[in-house]
Amino acid sequence: ERGDAAGALGLFQELLPDRIRVLGPDHPAVLTTRGNIATWTGERGDAAGALGLFQELLPDLTRVLGPTTPTS
């Protein structure tokens, strides 16, 4: 349901700044949170927004985790 997606998205968006502050921007948990934001953006019905977020995330995932690390 889109209401659940909006709620989940909001929670992940609230969490992200604290994770960045405590763990640093390159921590895998921060990257996971960013991925969750992208996922829930899509679930909310904004496919273009989700795509943009994933496109921003991919270079960071590749740099931090390596090009062959499974991300799911």
Side-chain angles (χ1 to χ4, degrees), residues 16-60:
L16 184 60
D18 291 334
R19 280 204 157 170
I20 291 171
R21 180 179 47 79
V22 172
L23 302 172
D26 290 337
H27 192 280
V30 171
L31 300 176
T32 297
T33 300
R34 289 177 55 200
N36 288 331
I37 290 170
T39 297
W40 285 105
T41 295
E43 289 293 322
R44 194 188 64 189
D46 182 3
L51 177 61
L53 292 170
F54 278 121
Q55 287 172 329
E56 292 174 8
L57 178 58
L58 183 58
D60 294 334

